[in-house]
Amino acid sequence: MDAILLQVLNGLDKGGAYALIALGLTLAFGTLGIVNFAHGALFMLGAFCAVALNKLLTLEKVTLDPTQKTPWGAPLEIRTPYVEAWLGDFGKFLVDWSVPISILVVVPVMLLIGIAMERGLIRHFYKRPHADQILVTFGLAIVLQEIVKHFFGANPIPVPAPAIFAGSADVGALFGLPPNTIVYPWWRLIYFLFALVVIGIVFAFLQLTTFGMVVRAGMRDRETVGLLGINIERRFTIVFGIAAIVAGLAGAMYTPVLPPNYHIGMDFLVLSFVVVVVGGMGSLGGAVLAGFLLGILQSFASMNEVKAIIPGIDQIIIYLVAVVILLTRPRGLMGRKGVMED
Amino acid sequence: MFKRNARQDLIFFLVFSAFVLSMPVLLAPIGAGYPDLLQKFAIYGLFAIGFNILFGLTGYLSFGHAAFLGVGSYAAVWMFKLLTMNVIPAIVFAVIISGLFALAIGYVSLKRSGIYFSILTLAFAEMSYKLAYSVLTPLTNGETGLQVKLRASGPVTDLINQDVRVLDAAMGIEENGIPAPSLFGLEITGWQAFYLCAVMLIAGFYIAMRINRSSFGMMLRAIKSNQNRLNYTGVYPRPYLLAAFTISGMYAGLAGALLAVTDPLAGAERMQWTASGEVVLMTILGGAGTLLGPFLGAAVIKYFENIFSAINENSLHAVLSFLPDPVENALVSVLSMFVGEGWHLTLGLLFMLIVIFLPGGLIEGFNRLIGLFTRSRKQTTGENREEA
């Protein structure tokens, strides 16, 4: 029982990341009909927004203290981040909470990047075949990740979570199990909740606002909405921006779980595409469901008991599931009729 | 297309062969006249020509072709280890194995089309890549890579680290140290390796040309232009697709085997999906659907990879030293993004530009240039594209 619960928990944070990326991919696909291979790069850019903010906040002033000596006899260097020197305790708080604070940076930055991407590049590819869309966004992904590599180097850059969340939560106690049977890092729990909140906001936005209603109508029948005198193109541009924000947020909050490097986006992209296809192209609910499902499946497959029966299953389970689903249920779990049927 | 006669084809083919064989002389002035680089042109050219048979003719975009390259490499190295250092069995075995592998994967993947096909091939390739690192280590030797080792003197317990080379042993070939691949006694290193690859490339090019001109090639192009209509006329396209997929997998296996011949070491990183992306880049850059395009794209990418990644900040400073210092420093810091380690940035940009402005690749660019100078109204651009 506790082992199963632990694996479910283990799958939740990764599943959350898959679900968020897949949600953005599906949004872009469902509205603009674009197959965006650069979506993983947006995830990566979000992560590096968090990294950049953290670097900025921890820029240090070095002062030499002649009264103290290091063991080598040189004067002791005292490093204090500028923010701490200027703002005192509040500065300390800023540095500590840099990852959650980066959300404030990520939202406008990613919105801009997303809109610029749609206006500047993707707009010209609506009428081109899907293969061309895949290729040009694949090229864009390479360009984006090489730019990041140029500025941040090739090594993963660790970014700490706030100190409060550093430890692990005794989740087992909540379910009436003896203490310390299921311990789980706080931050990963937070990430799962965060993913749920973001997904909730996106769905609420689409279901409860007029804007969302128009967008949903446009996803169903773009032409009719256009004939009603609504500028659906502009709304879809904003939806693309939202998709970029979702990917960026997923990336920024994921930094304490997995130190990002420049190709983290590509690693997630492949899996997220599989998630989208399993969930059903163009189905938002399917993307979220498949994201969590595959995340949890993956963590089950990496249990030693399972690996003992089928060796190597943890490495390939996601792809295997994708192959089976694609061959048995061509529309994916919750795919709509008439979307990408060819 | 039907106007083209066999003689024109023959001339085209002969010119191509002559060019490939004289590359060591012709390309020496641009700094490419050495075997290591030229054999890469030939190997990746083969890979791209094969990929083009699938993607260029049928329009099915596979993102998993690197898997066949990797399988070919492993198969070739195993032949070196078990049978003989002679390259012929290695190449034949690699082509057969990767063909079978492609047949199996193609059979499943081709049940779907469009983006689903791309995702399926991607999934299979990633599975092979992951398995090569985990469960299949007895076959692939994991991250170390599969290598040719010394021939075992006593009883063999560990095939990864002890080679048998049954045929060589039976023929009484002596080995001093780890042997190099050979062709009936002729050691395949340096220029010999290039010429082996070049001959393979020419043969591969010839087969691709025959396919292109055949009714089979016509059928593949029909699938690309309108599969529905083909269905309605009563043609079942999947066997044709499967044949094209398998053939292109065999090309990839041949390229993998040649990689193993030039450097008898096979690693799983060759199978990663970014490697599949690279062959897509090559084909698109040169011109998908054309005969010459894929080879051209492969050569251009490998050449610039070699040139650009060799440039560093110092050499930039040396070139730009005539400029005033601040300008020089600014220019160097900008340019250094695009060279050396940052060569992939140039590649990505170039690729985007090609897809956006020149969907037909370099070949289309040439044809447009030619069209600018020789304005004959009778020849349409569609006809021009066939020229390549």
Side-chain angles (χ1 to χ4, degrees), chain B residues 265-285:
Chain B
L265 167 80
E269 72 283 345
R270 272 177 204 165
M271 303 168 88
Q272 216 181 353
W273 77 279
T274 41
S276 305
E278 201 181 335
V279 73
V280 181
L281 294 187
M282 289 169 179
T283 312
I284 301 282
L285 182 75

Side-chain angles (χ1 to χ4, degrees), chain B residues 29-63:
Chain B
I30 58 167
Y34 58 97
D36 275 4
L37 184 58
L38 288 178
Q39 72 204 16
K40 267 192 192 146
F41 285 11
I43 292 171
Y44 285 95
L46 261 175
F47 190 18
I49 286 175
F51 181 76
N52 184 50
I53 292 177
L54 180 72
F55 175 62
L57 294 185
T58 70
Y60 275 60
L61 176 58
S62 156
F63 254 102

Side-chain angles (χ1 to χ4, degrees), chain B residues 40-368:
Chain B
K40 267 192 192 146
F41 285 11
I43 292 171
Y44 285 95
L46 261 175
F47 190 18
I49 286 175
F51 181 76
N52 184 50
I53 292 177
L54 180 72
F55 175 62
L57 294 185
T58 70
Y60 275 60
L61 176 58
S62 156
F63 254 102
H65 257 57
F68 308 129
L69 184 92
V71 168
S73 286
Y74 282 126
V77 175
W78 270 115
M79 275 294 110
F80 288 148
K81 290 169 80 69
L82 293 180
L83 215 56
T84 166
M85 285 311 281
N86 196 327
V87 295
I88 302 282
I91 288 176
V92 171
F93 184 66
V95 171
I96 292 173
I97 289 291
S98 53
L100 289 175
F101 196 60
L103 188 69
I105 288 183
Y107 180 76
V108 181
S109 307
L110 284 166
K111 288 188 186 293
R112 309 301 313 278
S113 63
I115 178 160
Y116 295 107
F117 171 77
S118 301
I119 299 282
L120 274 174
T121 47
L122 182 61
F124 278 116
E126 281 293 282
M127 269 200 260
S128 327
Y129 168 67
K130 295 270 163 82
L131 286 180
Y133 270 146
S134 55
V135 184
L136 295 179
T137 37
L139 276 177
T140 63
N141 204 16
E143 295 194 16
T144 328
L146 195 62
Q147 293 174 33
V148 173
K149 298 277 182 177
L150 288 173
R151 194 154 70 191
S153 41
V156 179
T157 49
D158 170 18
L159 276 174
I160 292 272
N161 290 314
Q162 289 173 299
D163 290 1
V164 259
R165 276 192 277 288
V166 184
L167 265 180
D168 280 7
M171 290 178 14
I173 296 172
E174 293 289 317
E175 286 181 10
N176 301 313
I178 294 174
S182 64
L183 185 67
F184 303 114
L186 176 71
E187 267 202 9
I188 300 288
T189 47
W191 284 114
Q192 287 92 321
F194 164 69
Y195 277 106
L196 177 74
C197 297
V199 169
M200 290 293 163
L201 172 68
I202 291 169
F205 183 80
Y206 181 73
I207 295 172
M209 193 159 120
R210 298 302 307 174
I211 289 177
N212 214 335
R213 305 287 186 241
S214 67
S215 53
F216 171 62
M218 197 66 180
M219 191 61 87
L220 296 182
R221 267 192 288 265
I223 292 173
K224 183 181 189 177
S225 64
N226 196 334
Q227 198 169 348
N228 269 338
R229 202 170 288 174
L230 209 57
N231 284 331
Y232 294 151
T233 36
V235 178
Y236 186 54
R238 201 172 294 157
Y240 296 98
L241 282 168
L242 189 56
F245 193 89
T246 310
I247 291 170
S248 73
M250 287 162 89
Y251 269 86
L254 174 61
L258 289 176
L259 273 181
V261 168
T262 53
D263 178 17
L265 167 80
E269 72 283 345
R270 272 177 204 165
M271 303 168 88
Q272 216 181 353
W273 77 279
T274 41
S276 305
E278 201 181 335
V279 73
V280 181
L281 294 187
M282 289 169 179
T283 312
I284 301 282
L285 182 75
T290 62
L291 271 177
L292 202 55
F295 170 70
L296 195 68
V300 166
I301 285 185
K302 285 293 157 194
Y303 175 70
F304 282 108
E305 178 181 81
N306 208 47
I307 299 290
F308 273 74
S309 38
I311 302 175
N312 54 24
E313 287 203 15
N314 293 334
S315 50
L316 279 179
H317 275 293
V319 173
L320 297 171
S321 55
F322 64 91
L323 290 166
D325 269 359
V327 181
E328 183 192 328
N329 287 336
L331 210 56
V332 165
S333 66
V334 171
L335 285 179
S336 66
M337 274 183 79
F338 295 94
V339 296
E341 294 272 293
W343 134 256
H344 279 106
L345 179 59
T346 322
L347 182 63
L349 278 175
L350 183 71
F351 179 63
M352 279 177 73
L353 291 176
I354 292 275
V355 177
I356 296 171
F357 297 111
L358 213 61
L362 291 176
I363 293 285
E364 187 190 325
F366 289 139
N367 283 338
R368 279 196 203 169

Side-chain angles (χ1 to χ4, degrees), chain A residues 116-133:
Chain A
M117 219 171 115
E118 202 275 336
R119 290 271 146 143
L121 180 72
I122 289 177
R123 159 149 306 199
H124 308 290
F125 277 80
Y126 293 156
K127 298 252 160 64
R128 305 266 291 263
H130 281 299
D132 278 9
Q133 298 171 355

Side-chain angles (χ1 to χ4, degrees), chain B residues 20-37:
Chain B
V20 169
L21 290 176
S22 55
M23 275 202 305
V25 184
L26 288 178
L27 298 186
I30 58 167
Y34 58 97
D36 275 4
L37 184 58

